[in-house]
Amino acid sequence: MSKDTRPSDAGTLAETTTQRTPTIPRASTWAVWTLFLCSVGVLVLTALRGYEWGLPDLVVVDGLTAVMWVVVTFFSGIVHSYSRRYMAGDSGVDRFFGQILAFTLVVMTLTAADHVVLFATMWLAMGLLMASLIGHDRDWKQARAAGVLAVKYFLASSALLSTGLVALVWTTGATSVSGIVANVDGISPTVAIVAVAAIFLAAIVQSALFPFHGWLLSSMTAPTPASALMHAGFVNAGGILLTRFAPLVGEYLYVMSVVVLVGAFSALLGQAMLLVQTDVKRELGSSTIAQMGFMIMQCGLGFFGAAIAHLILHGCYKAYLFLSSGAPVEHTVPADEDRTHLGFSGVAVSLLTAVGGGVIFMLLTGKLSGLSVTLNSGIVLTLVVVLTTLTAARDILHRTTLPSSIRLVSVPLVVLTAISAYAVTFNAVSTMLAADVPMTYAPTELTVVHYFVVAGFVGAYLATEFGWHRSSERLYVALLNVSQPAPSTVLTSKEDYDDA
């Protein structure tokens, strides 16, 4: 059971809040929206100038920085605005707003940091601020335990990142990220593997991939706005880190294959864990693990631009889901969901929509030229998009109550529009990153790992479609066990919940 720190909406509280309007929340909200407007201006200038600017070897504002500044400040602005009412009456409201503003500034600095010391320092500060937000309610022992657990994970992540950076500085003599990337060819294979392993582990700890997903599933003690900021922004840091070091990560095919394998496994596991959750926020947490796995998998496939596009779209969607998570909670008796029988026409429309989604994605992202298709890792990404489109189309067709004639036309239109939006975002982000991230689009040759991953996704789809996962009690229990938060972060009795 998880506890929410949302205060009562009683009339007296609302009147008191309206009359005194705390200064720090208001000033913090105005500050972050001002930063958003400035970030939009920076993005436009960076796009028009076509090159990076900043302080050499300290901070560099390039395409990736400009894009992430807009994304981070937008999400932070939404959370700030939402929290002014949500956190009203909370004894730590000023501290909460101070921390989310500080978190925003730290992430902005991290995305621009070029000097390795500044980069590592901001990575650590980002983790410690998020851990503090997770344990926001200082009087709730489960919240304190969740915050302490998060600190342990984030310290480990920072130690791993620092290890990788020290190894790279030692072998290249460069003290900036750009300098290290420019000297990739001069790094010995042994040092490169050690550094890449450390950086990759730091990334998947921060993005909560298996087996480091425990801190995320134990973080439900955080106020819902903090959870929104965490799932929409913080966990994306792994994708940004791998993109910054793309030339180093992509130097060895077997390293990229390992990245693909780890990402794909977490994506499938997260989606499987989602099926057995009964708590709204943990459902969303399992979904985030799956989406972060897919993001990391895209990096391993060589589509770093696609990973950044994915984290932007996922961030928008997940922030909305968390901030609206109270709406689905109703005090009603559970009942079977109304599901529409597809029939032959529904199955046919689902299949055609999936194929159409794959073709549109390939056309818009340049993977299909005329009738020629290159057999590389891009095929794997396209097949995953096809399976995702098929699942989405069938699920919407199952659940919608629209008349059959409207349903069979509107659902493909909605799904294909979403796929087109993903492809367009991918192209736009890739264009912004092209001059600064040499491997924005760098598909690799196919290996046995790629075939194994495709088989895994197809098998998972068939298992879900035919309900095979429901017929195994052992699998159900295994998924429940692997998705359990740390015992110290869970309320186990109603009395403890009332006292908290």
Side-chain angles (χ1 to χ4, degrees):
M1 181 181 293
S2 62
K3 174 193 173 191
D4 211 323
T5 57
R6 181 177 183 177
S8 169
D9 286 333
T12 302
L13 176 60
E15 292 174 5
T16 302
T17 303
T18 303
Q19 291 173 1
R20 65 186 182 85
T21 311
T23 302
I24 291 181
R26 181 176 56 193
S28 181
T29 304
W30 277 104
V32 78
W33 280 119
T34 301
L35 286 172
F36 170 70
L37 294 176
C38 293
S39 298
V40 172
V42 170
L43 179 64
V44 173
L45 288 175
T46 303
L48 292 176
R49 291 169 59 144
Y51 58 90
E52 60 188 36
W53 52 284
L55 300 175
D57 298 329
L58 182 62
V59 293
V60 174
V61 179
D62 55 15
L64 178 59
T65 301
V67 169
M68 294 313 304
W69 276 8
V70 172
V71 173
V72 169
T73 53
F74 176 73
F75 290 155
S76 181
I78 294 296
V79 169
H80 270 80
S81 298
Y82 181 92
S83 300
R84 288 183 64 180
R85 176 177 175 82
Y86 189 98
M87 297 299 293
D90 188 283
S91 59
V93 62
D94 289 345
R95 169 167 49 85
F96 177 83
F97 274 88
Q99 287 179 338
I100 58 175
L101 178 60
F103 177 83
T104 305
L105 295 173
V106 165
V107 174
M108 291 179 71
T109 305
L110 172 71
T111 58
D114 194 35
H115 197 284
V116 293
V117 173
L118 180 61
F119 191 91
T121 301
M122 291 301 101
W123 186 269
L124 174 61
M126 177 179 64
L128 294 179
L129 282 169
M130 183 51 66
S132 182
L133 287 169
I134 291 172
H136 170 75
D137 191 337
R138 302 294 193 260
D139 297 326
W140 184 14
K141 68 177 182 180
Q142 283 79 10
R144 294 198 304 271
V148 170
L149 179 67
V151 166
K152 293 178 180 178
Y153 275 90
F154 301 152
L155 286 177
S157 175
S158 293
L160 287 165
L161 176 62
S162 298
T163 299
L165 292 177
V166 167
L168 293 172
V169 169
W170 174 73
T171 193
T172 63
T175 57
S176 64
V177 174
S178 57
I180 291 171
V181 170
N183 291 283
V184 166
D185 294 338
I187 302 175
S188 70
T190 302
V191 174
I193 294 303
V194 170
V196 168
I199 291 172
F200 176 60
L201 287 173
I204 65 174
V205 169
Q206 211 84 347
S207 292
L209 269 62
F210 180 85
F212 308 111
H213 61 293
W215 73 263
L216 185 67
L217 296 176
S218 302
S219 69
M220 303 308 167
T221 57
T224 294
S227 294
L229 192 61
M230 180 197 314
H231 289 255
F234 178 79
V235 293
N236 294 323
I240 297 171
L241 177 60
L242 293 183
T243 301
R244 275 293 181 211
F245 289 92
L248 179 64
V249 176
E251 182 74 9
Y252 304 98
L253 180 59
Y254 59 88
V255 170
M256 294 287 273
S257 297
V258 171
V259 175
V260 169
L261 192 60
V262 172
F265 182 80
S266 291
L268 293 173
L269 179 64
Q271 193 63 31
M273 290 193 300
L274 187 154
L275 299 174
V276 301
Q277 300 303 314
T278 57
D279 181 284
V280 173
K281 290 180 74 173
R282 289 202 185 110
E283 235 181 42
L284 295 176
S286 298
S287 171
T288 294
I289 293 170
Q291 294 300 322
M292 291 303 97
F294 184 50
M295 177 189 70
I296 296 297
M297 187 182 79
Q298 290 176 93
C299 291
L301 292 173
F303 296 96
F304 293 91
I308 299 300
H310 179 84
L311 71 85
I312 293 172
L313 296 175
H314 169 260
C316 291
Y317 184 54
K318 195 52 65 72
Y320 164 75
L321 288 179
F322 262 100
L323 296 182
S324 63
S325 61
V329 180
E330 299 178 2
H331 297 289
T332 57
V333 178
D336 293 334
E337 294 181 343
D338 294 330
R339 297 180 72 85
T340 304
H341 181 64
L342 289 183
F344 176 79
S345 58
V347 173
V349 167
S350 298
L351 291 173
L352 289 174
T353 302
V355 174
V359 172
I360 289 175
F361 179 75
M362 293 180 74
L363 284 171
L364 293 180
T365 57
K367 297 178 179 63
L368 179 63
S369 179
L371 297 177
S372 175
V373 178
T374 304
L375 291 178
N376 55 33
S377 60
I379 294 296
V380 180
L381 181 58
T382 302
L383 288 174
V384 173
V385 168
V386 169
L387 286 174
T388 303
T389 305
L390 180 59
T391 302
R394 289 178 66 83
D395 190 57
I396 296 173
L397 285 169
H398 268 305
R399 295 178 186 277
T400 185
T401 57
L402 292 172
S404 180
S405 58
I406 298 177
R407 184 174 73 243
L408 297 178
V409 174
S410 60
V411 170
L413 183 62
V414 170
V415 173
L416 293 179
T417 299
I419 294 297
S420 299
Y422 171 53
V424 170
T425 304
F426 167 49
N427 286 337
V429 170
S430 296
T431 300
M432 282 297 301
L433 271 58
D436 312 300
V437 183
M439 294 187 64
T440 297
Y441 179 89
T444 66
E445 63 182 78
L446 293 175
T447 67
V448 65
V449 169
H450 296 102
Y451 293 108
F452 182 75
V453 166
V454 169
F457 273 92
V458 172
Y461 170 78
L462 293 175
T464 305
E465 182 64 28
F466 292 105
W468 296 339
H469 63 289
R470 298 191 185 96
S471 61
S472 173
E473 293 181 2
R474 186 181 297 274
L475 176 61
Y476 180 83
V477 172
L479 291 174
L480 277 180
N481 288 337
V482 78
S483 62
Q484 289 301 304
S488 60
T489 66
V490 180
L491 291 171
T492 56
S493 69
K494 182 178 183 300
E495 289 73 19
D496 288 341
Y497 187 88
D498 290 339
D499 290 342

Short mmCIF file of all heavy atoms in Angstrom, two decimals, residues 203-224:
data_model
loop_
_atom_site.label_atom_id
_atom_site.label_comp_id
_atom_site.label_asym_id
_atom_site.label_seq_id
_atom_site.Cartn_x
_atom_site.Cartn_y
_atom_site.Cartn_z
N ALA A 203 24.07 4.47 -16.22
CA ALA A 203 22.86 4.85 -16.97
C ALA A 203 21.67 3.98 -16.59
O ALA A 203 20.57 4.48 -16.36
CB ALA A 203 23.13 4.75 -18.47
N ILE A 204 21.87 2.66 -16.50
CA ILE A 204 20.72 1.79 -16.24
C ILE A 204 20.30 1.83 -14.78
O ILE A 204 19.14 1.55 -14.46
CB ILE A 204 20.99 0.34 -16.69
CG1 ILE A 204 22.11 -0.32 -15.90
CG2 ILE A 204 21.29 0.30 -18.18
CD1 ILE A 204 22.29 -1.80 -16.24
N VAL A 205 21.21 2.20 -13.87
CA VAL A 205 20.80 2.41 -12.47
C VAL A 205 19.87 3.61 -12.41
O VAL A 205 18.79 3.57 -11.80
CB VAL A 205 22.02 2.64 -11.56
CG1 VAL A 205 21.56 3.13 -10.18
CG2 VAL A 205 22.83 1.36 -11.40
N GLN A 206 20.26 4.70 -13.06
CA GLN A 206 19.46 5.93 -13.03
C GLN A 206 18.13 5.73 -13.76
O GLN A 206 17.12 6.32 -13.37
CB GLN A 206 20.24 7.07 -13.69
CG GLN A 206 19.95 8.44 -13.10
CD GLN A 206 20.80 8.70 -11.86
OE1 GLN A 206 21.42 7.80 -11.31
NE2 GLN A 206 20.84 9.95 -11.43
N SER A 207 18.11 4.91 -14.79
CA SER A 207 16.88 4.68 -15.55
C SER A 207 16.07 3.50 -15.01
O SER A 207 15.08 3.11 -15.62
CB SER A 207 17.22 4.44 -17.04
OG SER A 207 17.71 5.62 -17.63
N ALA A 208 16.52 2.92 -13.90
CA ALA A 208 15.76 1.88 -13.19
C ALA A 208 15.53 0.62 -14.02
O ALA A 208 14.46 0.02 -13.95
CB ALA A 208 14.42 2.43 -12.69
N LEU A 209 16.52 0.22 -14.80
CA LEU A 209 16.40 -1.03 -15.54
C LEU A 209 16.76 -2.20 -14.63
O LEU A 209 17.48 -2.04 -13.64
CB LEU A 209 17.32 -1.02 -16.77
CG LEU A 209 16.68 -0.49 -18.07
CD1 LEU A 209 16.26 0.94 -17.94
CD2 LEU A 209 17.66 -0.66 -19.23
N PHE A 210 16.25 -3.38 -14.98
CA PHE A 210 16.55 -4.59 -14.21
C PHE A 210 18.06 -4.84 -14.23
O PHE A 210 18.69 -4.70 -15.29
CB PHE A 210 15.82 -5.78 -14.83
CG PHE A 210 16.06 -7.08 -14.13
CD1 PHE A 210 15.30 -7.44 -13.04
CD2 PHE A 210 17.06 -7.94 -14.55
CE1 PHE A 210 15.53 -8.64 -12.38
CE2 PHE A 210 17.30 -9.14 -13.90
CZ PHE A 210 16.53 -9.48 -12.80
N PRO A 211 18.69 -5.17 -13.12
CA PRO A 211 18.12 -5.48 -11.80
C PRO A 211 18.13 -4.31 -10.83
O PRO A 211 18.09 -4.52 -9.61
CB PRO A 211 19.05 -6.59 -11.32
CG PRO A 211 20.39 -6.18 -11.85
CD PRO A 211 20.13 -5.53 -13.19
N PHE A 212 18.21 -3.09 -11.34
CA PHE A 212 18.29 -1.91 -10.49
C PHE A 212 16.95 -1.16 -10.43
O PHE A 212 16.94 0.05 -10.18
CB PHE A 212 19.40 -0.98 -11.00
CG PHE A 212 20.72 -1.65 -11.19
CD1 PHE A 212 21.24 -1.86 -12.46
CD2 PHE A 212 21.44 -2.11 -10.10
CE1 PHE A 212 22.47 -2.49 -12.63
CE2 PHE A 212 22.66 -2.74 -10.26
CZ PHE A 212 23.18 -2.94 -11.54
N HIS A 213 15.86 -1.86 -10.63
CA HIS A 213 14.55 -1.21 -10.67
C HIS A 213 13.91 -1.05 -9.29
O HIS A 213 12.87 -0.43 -9.15
CB HIS A 213 13.60 -2.03 -11.55
CG HIS A 213 13.36 -3.42 -11.05
ND1 HIS A 213 14.36 -4.37 -11.02
CD2 HIS A 213 12.27 -4.03 -10.53
CE1 HIS A 213 13.89 -5.50 -10.52
NE2 HIS A 213 12.62 -5.32 -10.21
N GLY A 214 14.56 -1.61 -8.26
CA GLY A 214 13.97 -1.60 -6.93
C GLY A 214 13.71 -0.22 -6.37
O GLY A 214 12.68 0.02 -5.73
N TRP A 215 14.64 0.72 -6.62
CA TRP A 215 14.45 2.07 -6.07
C TRP A 215 13.22 2.74 -6.66
O TRP A 215 12.52 3.50 -5.94
CB TRP A 215 15.69 2.93 -6.30
CG TRP A 215 15.91 3.39 -7.72
CD1 TRP A 215 16.71 2.82 -8.66
CD2 TRP A 215 15.30 4.53 -8.36
NE1 TRP A 215 16.66 3.53 -9.84
CE2 TRP A 215 15.79 4.58 -9.69
CE3 TRP A 215 14.40 5.50 -7.94
CZ2 TRP A 215 15.40 5.57 -10.60
CZ3 TRP A 215 14.01 6.49 -8.84
CH2 TRP A 215 14.52 6.52 -10.15
N LEU A 216 12.92 2.48 -7.93
CA LEU A 216 11.77 3.12 -8.57
C LEU A 216 10.46 2.57 -8.01
O LEU A 216 9.53 3.33 -7.71
CB LEU A 216 11.83 2.91 -10.08
CG LEU A 216 10.74 3.64 -10.88
CD1 LEU A 216 10.96 5.15 -10.80
CD2 LEU A 216 10.75 3.20 -12.33
N LEU A 217 10.37 1.25 -7.84
CA LEU A 217 9.15 0.64 -7.32
C LEU A 217 8.97 0.95 -5.84
O LEU A 217 7.86 0.80 -5.31
CB LEU A 217 9.19 -0.87 -7.54
CG LEU A 217 9.19 -1.32 -9.00
CD1 LEU A 217 9.32 -2.83 -9.10
CD2 LEU A 217 7.93 -0.85 -9.71
N SER A 218 10.03 1.37 -5.17
CA SER A 218 9.94 1.73 -3.75
C SER A 218 9.73 3.22 -3.54
O SER A 218 9.67 3.69 -2.40
CB SER A 218 11.22 1.29 -3.02
OG SER A 218 11.44 -0.09 -3.16
N SER A 219 9.64 3.98 -4.62
CA SER A 219 9.59 5.45 -4.53
C SER A 219 8.17 6.00 -4.49
O SER A 219 7.98 7.20 -4.65
CB SER A 219 10.33 6.06 -5.73
OG SER A 219 9.60 5.82 -6.94
N MET A 220 7.17 5.15 -4.28
CA MET A 220 5.80 5.61 -4.32
C MET A 220 5.41 6.47 -3.12
O MET A 220 4.30 6.96 -3.03
CB MET A 220 4.85 4.42 -4.45
CG MET A 220 5.14 3.54 -5.66
SD MET A 220 5.23 4.50 -7.19
CE MET A 220 5.96 3.32 -8.31
N THR A 221 6.33 6.63 -2.18
CA THR A 221 6.10 7.52 -1.05
C THR A 221 6.22 8.99 -1.48
O THR A 221 5.82 9.88 -0.73
CB THR A 221 7.12 7.25 0.06
OG1 THR A 221 8.44 7.41 -0.49
CG2 THR A 221 6.98 5.83 0.60
N ALA A 222 6.79 9.23 -2.64
CA ALA A 222 6.96 10.61 -3.12
C ALA A 222 5.60 11.24 -3.40
O ALA A 222 4.67 10.55 -3.84
CB ALA A 222 7.81 10.62 -4.38
N PRO A 223 5.46 12.53 -3.17
CA PRO A 223 4.23 13.20 -3.59
C PRO A 223 4.03 13.00 -5.08
O PRO A 223 5.00 12.93 -5.85
CB PRO A 223 4.51 14.67 -3.26
CG PRO A 223 5.57 14.64 -2.20
CD PRO A 223 6.41 13.44 -2.52
N THR A 224 2.79 12.90 -5.52
CA THR A 224 2.51 12.61 -6.92
C THR A 224 3.20 13.58 -7.89
O THR A 224 3.71 13.15 -8.92
CB THR A 224 1.00 12.57 -7.16
OG1 THR A 224 0.45 11.47 -6.43
CG2 THR A 224 0.67 12.40 -8.63
#
